[in-house]
Structure formats: C-alpha cells, structure tokens
Amino acid sequence: MMKRVFSARAILAGSLSLAALAASAPAAAQDVQTSPSSEADSNEIVVTALRRNTRLQDTPAAITAFDAKAIESAGIQRPADFVALTSNVQLVETQNVGNAFVIIRGITQNRNSEPSVAVVVDGVQQVNAAEFNQELFDIEQIEILKGPQGGLYGRNAIGGAIVITTKAPTDTLEGRIMAGIDNGFGYTVRAGLSGPLSDTLKFRVSGSWRDTNGYIRNTYLGEDADPVKDLSLRAKLLWQPTDALSVDLRGFYSKLKTQAFYYNIVSDVNDTHLPVRVNNAGIDNRTIYNASAKIDYQADWGSIRSVTSYDKVTEILTGDAFDFLPIKESLFYFLLGTDLNQSQYLNVKAVSEDLRISSPDKQKLQWSIGTYLIHTDRYISTGNLVDTGAGVFPVYRTPSTNPLNPQATFLADSQKNFAWAVYGGLGYEFSDALRIDSSLRYDHDHRRNTTLTPPAFIPVVTGFPAGTSGEVRGESFSAWQPKVTVTWKPEKNLTVYGGYSRGFRSGGFNQTGVGAVAAGTGVVGVGDVYKAETADTFELGFKSTLLHNLMTFNASAYTTQSKNGYFFVFLAANSTQNLGNVAKTRLRGFELESTLHPARGLDLNAALGLTYSKIKSFPDPTVIGNEAPFISRYTFNLGGQYESRLGDSDMKGRLRIDYRRIGRTWFDVPNSTSRDPVDLVDARASVEQGKWTLTAFAENLFNKKYNAEFSPGGFVFKARPRVYGLEGTIKF
C-alpha cells in the first residue's frame, strides 16, 4: 500500500514540477521535445514524420525530435540514448543485441515478434527488429512519433514511428574525426568525409569502430560478460542532374561481435545480488547489409518518390543455458549428471519497394497515393547442446555432430513472406486556423512457414500431437488502417489537435503442436499461430509557445484499445519459445513536456509520461485487470544544460545533466513480479574551441544496479552499470 501511495505522490510531484516550470520566469525559445540548445531556436526544427515538412511546434502530433546539435550535446550514439530522453518510451535490452524491445505508450514487443514501431532510416523502413539496436553515427536528425501511425507507415507502426535521417552529402569538402575512451576499458573512433565529385554528383562516407572489454563482470570466468567489437560503415552518393530529379544511393554495413545469455535466475526482478557466473562465454555475432536507391522527381503538379531496398541480417549466438551456472552447480547436472548450453541462428533477407506520388506541400488541398511491396525470406534455428566443458560451438542450419558438443534439441523453420499495401492521404487547409488530414492504408501479409526440424529432433510430448518435418503452413493477415487528425490554431503560438488512428502488425507461427502442448500444461493464450494485433487510439493534445518565444509547454492525452497484444512464453515441455496473444488491453495515458531558458546559456527541460494498462479479456479470468507485460507506469525526465564562454577567450564550456525516473514496471501476464522505480542520471562536460571539442561523460552516474528485463521462468538480465570516459572531436 505504501508503494502505491509513493507512486501516486511521485506522479503528482512530477505534474506539479511541470506546472511550476510553465509558470516560471521568462525563458528562451526551446521546443519541449528537443534537448537543450543555447544557440538555436528549436521551434524552427522541420520534421518529416507526418510525410510532409512542418515546423516541429506546429506539427499536430506528439513528436520528439533531436537535431544534429542536440544529438551532439546529448551524446546520442545508440538508440538507448535518445529513448532515455523521450517520455513514455522505453527500450529493454536483453539476451542478445538483436533482442531490444521498444515500448511506446504501452504497445510492447518481445522475442521473435514483429517490431512495435516502424523504423525508417533515410526513407527506407527497417524490415527486421534485429537490426534496430545499432550504432548511430553521422546523424542529422531523429524523430520519434508516438501513437499508431498505420495510415502513414503501414504494418509495425502500431506504437509509432522512428524516423532517422543521416547527414547528406555536401557541396564543399568537409570531415570530422571523433575518438574516445571509457572505463570498459574501451575505445571508439568515428569519422566522416563529404564533398562534391562533380557539378551534379556528391558523396558522403562515414564509419564507426567501437571496442570494449565490457562492463558486467563474469566472476566465474574472470572476465567481462559484455565485450563489444563493432564496425559500421555507410556510403552515400547523391546525383542531381536537374533541379527536378535526384537519385540517392545508400549502402550500409555493420559487423558486431559480443556475447549473450548471461542471465541470472531469481523470483523477484528487484533481486540484483547475484553475479554473472556462466561457464560458457559464448558469442553473439550480427551482420547487417543494406543497399537502397531513393529517386525523387519534383514537378509543378507534385512529386514522385521511389525507394527500393535490399536488406540482409544474420545473427548467430551461443552461450550457457538454464540455469546459467557452472556445470557442476547446475540443476540439470544435479538431476541428470550433465549440463546444457545453447545456440541460435537467424538469417533474414528482404527486398522492398515503396512508390509514392504526392501533391506540393504549399497548397490548401494536399493529397498522396502510394503502394508498398516487400518479400522476406527468413530462417531461424535454435537448440540446446550437451555441455561437456569444452565450450559451446555455433549451430547454423544442421544439428551439431561435434562429439565435444552433442546436440540435445534442435528446432528450425523457414518463412517466405510477401506483403503489399496501398495507401492514400488527403488534407485540406480550410483557413489559417483549421486543417483536417486523413489517410487510409490497407496492408496484406501472407506468410508461408516450413518446418525444417529433422524428424529425430521433432519434440514429442506424450499425449499431444507432434509436428512434422517438411510441414508447410500458410496464413494471411490484413487490416485497414485509417487515420484522421483535426488541427486548430486559434493563434500563432498555440496548436490544438485531436484525432483517431489505427495501427497493425502481422501475426505469425509458433512451432507446430505448440497449442496442444500449451493447453495440456495449463498455459493459455498460446497456439500454433499467434494472431495479428491492432491498436485503435483516440488522442487530444496541444502545443504552446509562451513568453515571447522563450518557453514551450505541450500536452497530449490518449486512450488505446489493443487487440491481440503479444506476450512471450517458454514451454519447457517441448523446449520452444513462443508468442501468445492478450485478447484485449486498454491503455490510457498522457504526456506533459516543457522547456525554458531562464538565463543566457541556460536551458532546462522536463517531461512526464504516464501509462495505465489493464488486461480486459484473456482466457484465464484470474489475470483480467492485471497490468500488461513490459509496461512502466510512468517516465519522468528532468534536464539542464549550461553553456558559457570561458574568460575572455573564444573557448566555450558546456555542462549537461539528464535525470530519468522509470516508474514501476510489470513483465508478465500474471504480474508475478514488478520492478521498483529506477532513477538514472547522465552527465556530460565539454570544452570547445574553434573546430575541436573535448568531452567528459558519465552514463548511470550513480551506478544504479537494476535488472533490465524479467522473463517468465525467473530469467533476469542485468542492466549496464556506470560507464564513464573522454571523447575528443576535430572538424575540418
């Protein structure tokens, strides 16, 4: 009872802090959704997340945007960095680098599931959730659009959209180099070069290399459990033969090597006392390839854009298995005289095409039509091996025949999926004060799954039907996704908006026979096929600029009904990882955000995001009324940045501090455990002169110990402890 009172008081205190911020002394222009900047008026940030160019503060949607200056001052280098600065958004990093779950306003994600958010990089939508968690370098702008955006971005935009724009090629030769060290011991090097090749052709190349021993100690092996070696490269060519035509060619490559599966087993997610003690360090190697061509044609009547993309993601991971203890201390060794380790392999290839025709932005009636096609070829295998103490060896498409690491279980599936969509939008500006926008999209996703598990490894559970090697299953998932927004500007510095939107993400396949095994072992909500999810949202909000453009105060409130939301289940009876559906969940919440500039060089910001979730329909009546999995009750952000010249020189100093509180978080349908609120502080101090900058930084400054995830069965994954170091940048 006391904990509930404390949560309510924390939320009330956050609301009062924001109200006090809004009523305080004059402040400098600063949009609530950006990090502080003492020189640029962030109200002039232009965003594209609504598929048209609009000023951020005039955009009728809850959008968080970080421009290039904010990205640099906040030290945004990975998705976790900008998520930590955004209200009502969380990123759960767990198990392996490809499993990083984005939660926006209670729309969640889990293992093997479709993403909860559409991620678009330079106009190309990422096709696989396993590639989201990557290094961010040479970035011009990041936009996080909250709420279902199916009418704009199609499937997987059920929670929102994240639009990332990398820096464009330049008309003059320029470059930069950044080098840093941290307490890993680790180092990072990033570099970029851009310029013209001719009057019509420009280029940009950039890269990132990160190498660290890690930060989380494995006391059994006497080494860190989370070392990282990451090489990422990007190249762009921009050809503009005429003012009307441009062709943008983009290539991206990323090779990451780290480790996975360093779990602990506990009953309470708040229990952090156990060290990592796996006897198999294992590997987690992921490779990403992407090539795309974006063609833009502009005419007096409108524009045509074509985006063609090829993606390939592979990830192989090995490591310890339950119960993640040295061989002779493990439960399986006690019961069976042997221990287990594991290997998982993912290979996804996709080709996509998005063709869009739209009217000019600057006219009262605006329209757009388009079509989207994507073909995906996916293979996944997972299995346990007997741990003989000789290490764990990777297993790809066929079971291991290595006598040092005999295969105990093995499951494999391939999918050939084809999805298509048609969409259109219509907007009309009735006056300077009133505008209505609408869009409608139809998505159809056909999935064809082939069971590739060899007959000898097909799980057999007495009394239940077994799967069949070579079995082919097919399912189609489709949905209409409408979106309507009304925008009213009663005066220049106030935007009021409201509307309705629907989001959709496809269903898919669990292993054959899972439904019967789940029912026979008392697990409900899980079948051979998991259903597609839809989310219907009503939202109302406003954006205001106050005190002669010295301050902003924004608010939004929403209610969402999610049908067939995902949740994760591990079935020990046939050693399968599965997704189930929560038939109906109600989500309600709001965001309050404000920034101000009380003195020259000083910027302050605050944001509170709250989400109430309630399971409304589920086969097990005892969980109705519970919180939905992976949802935090609230997020609360406070931040400040001060920048000033140092003495009479042209040298500048900058100090930045960001505080974030993540409210109580639930992780499973039964609400068997919940994590207490987590308080985190990041700090950065910089000295800048001319073309060089030196920065000292600390993430998780006070070394807060907490578990990033709790998975059914008591699996907990440690969050990263304090990381600190130095970075230096030279521009030329």
Side-chain angles (χ1 to χ4, degrees), residues 271 298 322 324 341 627 629 660 667:
D271 186 349
Q298 301 282 342
F322 185 88
F324 306 97
N341 50 42
E627 302 284 343
R660 179 172 172 92
F667 291 94

Side-chain angles (χ1 to χ4, degrees), residues 5 64 124 138 158 271 302 370 424 453 462 477-478 486 498 508 518 541 559 575 587 594 631 676 701:
V5 171
T64 298
V124 179
D138 211 31
I158 189 166
D271 186 349
T453 305
T462 303
F477 308 92
S478 59
V486 179
T559 178
S575 189
L587 304 162
S594 186
I631 297 177
D676 294 337
L701 177 63

Side-chain angles (χ1 to χ4, degrees), residues 3-282:
K3 290 184 178 180
R4 291 184 179 177
V5 171
F6 175 77
S7 297
R9 287 178 177 171
I11 294 168
L12 179 59
S15 301
L16 291 175
S17 296
L18 286 163
L21 192 58
S24 62
Q30 186 68 43
D31 187 88
V32 344
Q33 278 98 357
T34 66
S35 36
S37 167
S38 61
E39 295 181 0
D41 182 354
S42 62
N43 290 334
E44 297 303 321
I45 291 178
V46 175
V47 295
T48 61
L50 294 188
R51 299 284 197 181
R52 65 179 192 272
N53 294 337
T54 56
R55 288 197 329 147
L56 178 57
Q57 192 65 6
D58 294 336
T59 304
I63 299 180
T64 298
F66 302 90
D67 62 7
K69 184 174 178 62
I71 291 169
E72 183 174 354
S73 65
I76 295 174
Q77 298 183 0
R78 283 166 286 280
D81 298 330
F82 68 77
V83 167
L85 298 170
T86 308
S87 62
N88 255 350
V89 182
Q90 296 92 49
L91 180 70
V92 178
E93 298 179 90
T94 182
Q95 182 174 306
N96 59 293
V97 68
N99 271 311
F101 311 143
V102 182
I103 298 96
I104 297 184
R105 289 181 168 181
I107 300 295
T108 61
Q109 183 183 337
N110 221 306
R111 290 166 180 78
N112 305 322
S113 80
E114 292 294 320
S116 59
V117 60
V119 180
V120 180
V121 181
D122 289 340
V124 179
Q125 186 164 339
Q126 287 185 355
V127 299
N128 192 282
E131 59 186 310
F132 174 66
N133 196 17
Q134 61 181 254
E135 295 292 304
L136 298 175
F137 59 97
D138 211 31
I139 303 298
E140 180 65 29
Q141 190 155 299
I142 301 170
E143 304 167 31
I144 304 99
L145 178 57
K146 303 172 189 174
Q149 304 299 328
L152 296 174
Y153 292 98
R155 64 176 192 155
N156 299 336
I158 189 166
I162 296 174
V163 180
I164 299 173
T165 304
T166 64
K167 290 184 179 294
T170 56
D171 293 320
T172 58
L173 187 65
E174 65 179 41
R176 62 184 290 160
I177 298 174
M178 187 278 281
I181 59 172
D182 64 43
N183 61 311
F185 173 81
Y187 66 93
T188 301
V189 178
R190 297 182 173 203
L193 183 67
S194 178
L197 295 173
S198 71
D199 291 340
T200 60
L201 186 64
K202 295 181 284 188
F203 80 95
R204 190 174 195 99
V205 292
S206 54
S208 169
W209 168 253
R210 181 175 173 230
D211 188 334
T212 179
N213 294 329
Y215 313 96
I216 299 173
R217 196 68 177 165
N218 181 335
T219 58
Y220 182 79
L221 294 178
E223 62 187 34
D224 291 325
D226 58 336
V228 172
K229 293 182 185 295
D230 185 287
L231 173 65
S232 296
L233 302 170
R234 183 184 297 115
K236 300 177 75 171
L237 276 176
L238 180 60
W239 181 49
Q240 295 173 302
T242 69
D243 292 340
L245 178 65
S246 68
V247 179
D248 190 343
L249 302 178
R250 176 182 181 270
F252 177 73
Y253 169 81
S254 175
K255 178 68 175 180
L256 180 144
K257 295 182 178 182
T258 181
Q259 295 177 12
F261 298 128
Y262 42 93
Y263 284 107
N264 290 124
I265 305 296
V266 298
S267 59
D268 182 358
V269 67
N270 298 296
D271 186 349
T272 60
H273 82 282
L274 293 175
V276 172
R277 299 187 66 241
V278 296
N279 64 280
N280 288 294

Side-chain angles (χ1 to χ4, degrees), residues 424-680:
L426 193 64
Y428 189 75
E429 189 176 292
F430 291 91
S431 67
D432 291 342
L434 180 64
R435 178 187 175 98
I436 297 179
D437 292 282
S438 63
S439 58
L440 182 63
R441 178 164 174 147
Y442 179 77
D443 278 84
H444 182 87
D445 192 351
H446 180 73
R447 301 195 166 200
R448 185 173 179 267
N449 186 90
T450 303
T451 300
L452 299 179
T453 305
F457 289 93
I458 292 288
V460 177
V461 180
T462 303
F464 302 108
T468 304
S469 183
E471 178 183 7
V472 178
R473 295 178 288 164
E475 290 283 342
S476 293
F477 308 92
S478 59
W480 288 96
Q481 298 179 81
K483 179 178 175 65
V484 179
T485 303
V486 179
T487 307
W488 179 48
K489 287 184 69 68
E491 57 182 71
K492 180 181 178 180
N493 294 329
L494 176 63
T495 300
V496 181
Y497 63 92
Y500 161 78
S501 60
R502 170 178 289 177
F504 157 79
R505 59 177 164 181
S506 182
F509 298 96
N510 291 318
Q511 189 74 19
T512 304
V514 159
V517 175
T521 54
V523 178
V524 299
V526 178
D528 287 10
V529 176
Y530 57 89
K531 300 176 183 178
E533 181 184 3
T534 59
D536 293 271
T537 295
F538 291 91
E539 180 172 356
L540 183 65
F542 70 84
K543 295 184 173 182
S544 62
T545 305
L546 308 171
L547 302 175
H548 305 289
N549 288 333
L550 299 177
M551 177 180 134
T552 60
F553 183 71
N554 300 352
S556 59
Y558 65 91
T559 178
T560 298
Q561 180 171 277
S562 164
K563 293 183 179 179
N564 299 318
Y566 297 162
F567 71 95
F568 174 77
V569 170
F570 174 74
L571 290 178
N574 60 352
S575 189
T576 55
Q577 299 183 34
N578 309 283
L579 292 176
N581 295 111
V582 178
K584 188 181 296 184
T585 303
R586 172 61 67 180
L587 304 162
R588 294 185 176 91
F590 64 83
E591 288 113 21
L592 301 174
E593 300 178 317
S594 186
T595 59
L596 60 86
H597 181 33
R600 182 177 178 83
L602 177 62
D603 294 281
L604 305 173
N605 66 85
L608 172 67
L610 183 142
T611 298
Y612 284 99
S613 68
K614 181 178 289 189
I615 295 174
K616 304 289 287 187
S617 179
F618 194 75
D620 179 1
T622 64
V623 305
I624 293 177
N626 281 5
E627 302 284 343
F630 276 95
I631 297 177
S632 300
R633 170 66 76 232
Y634 61 89
T635 63
F636 181 54
N637 292 79
L638 282 175
Q641 179 173 293
Y642 181 67
E643 183 174 297
S644 178
R645 294 195 178 278
L646 301 177
D648 295 330
S649 69
D650 60 351
M651 186 179 296
K652 293 188 297 185
R654 181 169 60 243
L655 175 65
R656 179 189 177 101
I657 298 176
D658 289 291
Y659 163 76
R660 179 172 172 92
R661 181 177 176 89
I662 305 171
R664 184 166 300 281
T665 306
W666 293 263
F667 291 94
D668 57 6
V669 172
N671 290 179
S672 62
T673 185
S674 63
R675 191 181 65 197
D676 294 337
V678 175
D679 297 283
L680 301 171

Side-chain angles (χ1 to χ4, degrees), residues 347-422:
N347 186 311
V348 182
K349 292 175 284 187
V351 178
S352 64
E353 167 65 27
D354 192 357
L355 180 64
R356 175 184 173 86
I357 304 173
S358 56
S359 65
D361 282 349
K362 296 181 179 180
Q363 63 181 38
K364 286 186 175 295
L365 177 65
Q366 295 178 359
W367 54 266
S368 64
I369 57 173
T371 183
Y372 178 74
L373 307 171
I374 181 170
H375 178 269
T376 306
D377 192 345
R378 176 180 182 267
Y379 175 88
I380 186 169
S381 68
T382 181
N384 291 119
L385 303 97
V386 177
D387 192 350
T388 63
V392 53
F393 299 90
V395 176
Y396 296 89
R397 295 179 182 267
T398 57
S400 170
T401 57
N402 188 336
L404 297 177
N405 209 189
Q407 196 81 46
T409 67
F410 181 82
L411 300 172
D413 293 275
S414 71
Q415 284 189 20
K416 293 187 181 298
N417 306 328
F418 180 73
W420 58 269
V422 291

